[in-house]
Amino acid sequence: MEHKIKRDAALINLVSDFEAKIEQGNLGYIEDKAFIRLIEYYEEEYLPEKALDVVDIALEQFKYRSDFYIIKAKLLLNFSKYDECLDYLEQAAVIAPFETEILLFKARVLALKKEITSALEIITDLKSYIITEDLVDVLIAESFVYESMKDFDKMYDCLAKAVKIDSNNVEAMERIWISAELSRRYSDSVKLHLEIIDKDPYNYQAWYNLGHGYNCVYEYEKAVEALEYSFIINENFESGYLDCADTCVQIGNYRKALEIYLEANGKFGLNSELMVNIANCYIKLCNTALAKQWLLKSIRLDSYNDEAYFLLGESYSKEAVWYNAINAYHKAIDLDNRREEYYLGLAKAYLAVEDYNKATINFQMATQTGPEDTQSWFEYACFLIKLGLFDEATLVLEEAEDYTFGPELMYCKAAIHYLKNDNSGCIEVLEEALFEDYSKHSILYDIVPEIKLDKEISGIIRFYNEVDEE
C-alpha cells in the first residue's frame, strides 16, 4: 500500500509539473517514460484530447520512435478518425517496417473502415510466418475483423484458439466472453473454460468467464461459486466481487450478497453505487435502519444518485413513514423520470395516505413509463378493484394486454368477474390462470379473501393443485 501511495504521489507531481511548464511555455526535455505515464494518466482520467496533446509533444522530441506514432493512432481511433490512424501507422512502419503490432493494428482499423478483404490479407500474411507465441495477438486481431463483419461465430472460434494457446492473455480472455455473448455460445464457453481451469486452476479470468457462462445457462449456484473463485484467487479483482454479489441478489441470497458487497466496500473504498447495493440487501433482509444509514452516506457522496433516493423511499415505506417516503420518491423522479418503479412506489405511498387522486396519477405514470412491466399494471388494477371501480380496472387490464402478459393480470380479471357476480366468467379466466401458473393463485385470495369460502372455486383450485403436483 505504501508503495502505491508513493507511486501515486510521484505521478501527481509529474502531471502537476508538466501542466505548470505547459502554462509557462517552458516545457524543456521530458524522458520518453514520463511521456508514456502522462498519456496513460490522461486516458485513465477520460481526457483523450489532453492525451493527444501530450503525444504530439512527444513526437516533436522523439521523431524516430515508432511507439509514439502507434500511440497516436490508437488515440485517434477513439475519435473514429480511421484515415488519420492509418497515416500514423504508415509513418510508424517507415521507422519499424517489421513491427508486427503495426500490422495488427492496421488490420483492425481497416476492418472498422469495412475494408475487410485488405484486413484479412494482412492477417493471412502474418499467419504464414508468425511464430506460435505471437499467434495469439494475430488471432485477437482476426477476431476484431470478424466482429466488424458481425460474424460472431468466427469471432468466437478465433478467440477460443487464442485462449487455448495462452489462457493468461488478458485481452483474449476478456474478448472470449464478449464473443460468447454475441454468438450466444454459452454452453461452448462453459466447456472451454472448464478445460482451461482443468489445466490452470488458478486462472481467475477463466473462473470469472465460467461464472458468467453458468449464469447464461441458468445454473446460478454454480455461477456464484465460479465468480467467488475469481476474487478469491485475485483479491484485487473488483468485477469478480461485484458480479458475484449481483448474482446472489438475482437468486435472492441477500445475506451472501451483503457479505461480498461489504468486503468490496472495505477493499476498494467509498463508492456511491456500491453503497446503494449494500442498502438494497439490508432492505431485503428487513433491516431498514442500517439501509437508511448506507443510503444517506451514498447521497452525501453523490447527491444525484436517483436510486439511492428511491431505496430511501422504499425504506420509509417499509416503516410506514409515508410522507418521508413520498419526499424521497419525488426526489428520485426529479433525478430520473424514466423509471416506472419510482412512480409505482410513489403511487403506493399516496395510496397509503389515502390520497387517491395522486395515487391514480402515479399508477398511470408507472404504466406509461414502463408499459412492458406487468407489476405496474397489476398494482394499478388491484388499486381500482379495492376502490370498487371494476369497469375501470377491466379497462386497465385490457390496455395492459397491448404491452405485456402475466398470470397476475389473469387472476385480477378472474377476481373482477367474481366481484361482479359473473361466476362462469370467473371460472373460465381462473382455469386459464391456474394452467398458466398455479403457484400464483394466492393472488386471488389477496384480492378477494371471501372467495376461499366458494366451494366451486376451491374445488377447481384443488384440482389444478393435484395436476401441478403430478
Side-chain angles (χ1 to χ4, degrees), residues 39-57:
I39 293 163
E40 288 174 349
Y41 169 80
Y42 286 122
E43 282 192 281
E44 288 170 4
E45 293 297 311
Y46 302 103
L47 297 167
E49 293 88 354
K50 284 200 172 185
L52 277 169
D53 291 340
V54 175
V55 80
D56 284 338
I57 296 167

Side-chain angles (χ1 to χ4, degrees), residues 52 66 68-93 102 105-110 112-113:
L52 277 169
S66 62
F68 285 117
Y69 287 94
I70 296 169
I71 290 169
K72 179 70 182 277
K74 288 180 178 178
L75 289 170
L76 287 167
L77 191 62
N78 294 327
F79 298 94
S80 301
K81 296 184 176 180
Y82 305 134
D83 290 330
E84 288 185 52
C85 280
L86 293 171
D87 286 343
Y88 277 93
L89 289 173
E90 290 299 332
Q91 292 179 65
I102 298 169
F105 193 61
K106 184 178 179 181
R108 287 175 57 177
V109 177
L110 288 168
L112 289 168
K113 285 190 70 183

Side-chain angles (χ1 to χ4, degrees), residues 239-272:
S239 294
Y241 289 89
L242 300 181
D243 291 357
C244 184
D246 289 349
T247 303
C248 289
V249 168
Q250 188 179 350
I251 62 175
N253 191 346
Y254 300 110
R255 199 165 295 283
K256 186 174 182 66
L258 178 61
E259 289 173 7
I260 298 168
Y261 283 137
L262 287 171
E263 188 178 347
N265 183 73
K267 191 158 198 67
F268 303 109
L270 297 174
N271 180 304
S272 180

Side-chain angles (χ1 to χ4, degrees), residues 128-178:
S128 68
Y129 65 81
I130 205 79
I131 58 174
T132 304
E133 61 194 49
D134 291 333
L135 181 58
V136 172
D137 292 328
V138 177
L139 290 166
I140 292 171
E142 188 175 13
S143 78
F144 278 103
V145 177
Y146 287 125
E147 184 179 10
S148 71
M149 296 168 63
K150 300 193 185 305
D151 191 337
F152 302 126
D153 278 314
K154 285 187 178 178
M155 177 189 176
Y156 177 89
D157 291 337
C158 284
L159 291 162
K161 289 177 188 174
V163 297
K164 283 178 181 178
I165 296 169
D166 183 6
S167 61
N168 289 303
N169 185 296
V170 174
E171 187 177 16
M173 289 297 287
E174 287 175 351
R175 285 186 58 74
I176 186 64
W177 175 245
I178 293 169

